[in-house]
Amino acid sequence: MNGNNGQRRAELANDIRRQAGSEATKRFLRTLPAFRLEKEMPRRLSDLLDRLDEAEAENAGGGQPSIAARRN
């Protein structure tokens, strides 16, 4: 029975993947606020990404980060 159970689980997983990827499901999810794409990035995230870019640029030469960069 274990082999049969494993086969059923595999079939169920395939069915779920197929249904989740269907156009009807995608259309439905786009109507829900939690799944709606944002047009713009939140300011807080943008600021954090800018800080990350600065830190990467500062360390690109293999040097030590400045004291100010280490505080942030």
Side-chain angles (χ1 to χ4, degrees), residues 7-60:
Q7 183 179 355
R8 275 198 243 150
R9 294 182 113 207
E11 289 173 5
L12 177 60
N14 286 334
D15 285 344
I16 291 171
R17 278 190 208 97
R18 182 181 48 78
Q19 290 176 11
S22 74
E23 283 304 314
T25 302
K26 290 177 187 178
R27 230 181 354 264
F28 171 71
L29 291 176
R30 282 192 293 265
T31 66
L32 302 175
F35 293 94
R36 196 167 295 139
L37 293 178
E38 296 289 329
K39 300 273 186 209
E40 296 180 16
M41 188 180 316
R43 182 71 183 156
R44 173 82 174 127
L45 181 57
S46 179
D47 290 345
L48 289 171
L49 288 171
D50 289 342
R51 286 178 55 194
L52 180 61
D53 285 342
E54 291 169 8
E56 287 178 341
E58 192 170 294
N59 289 324

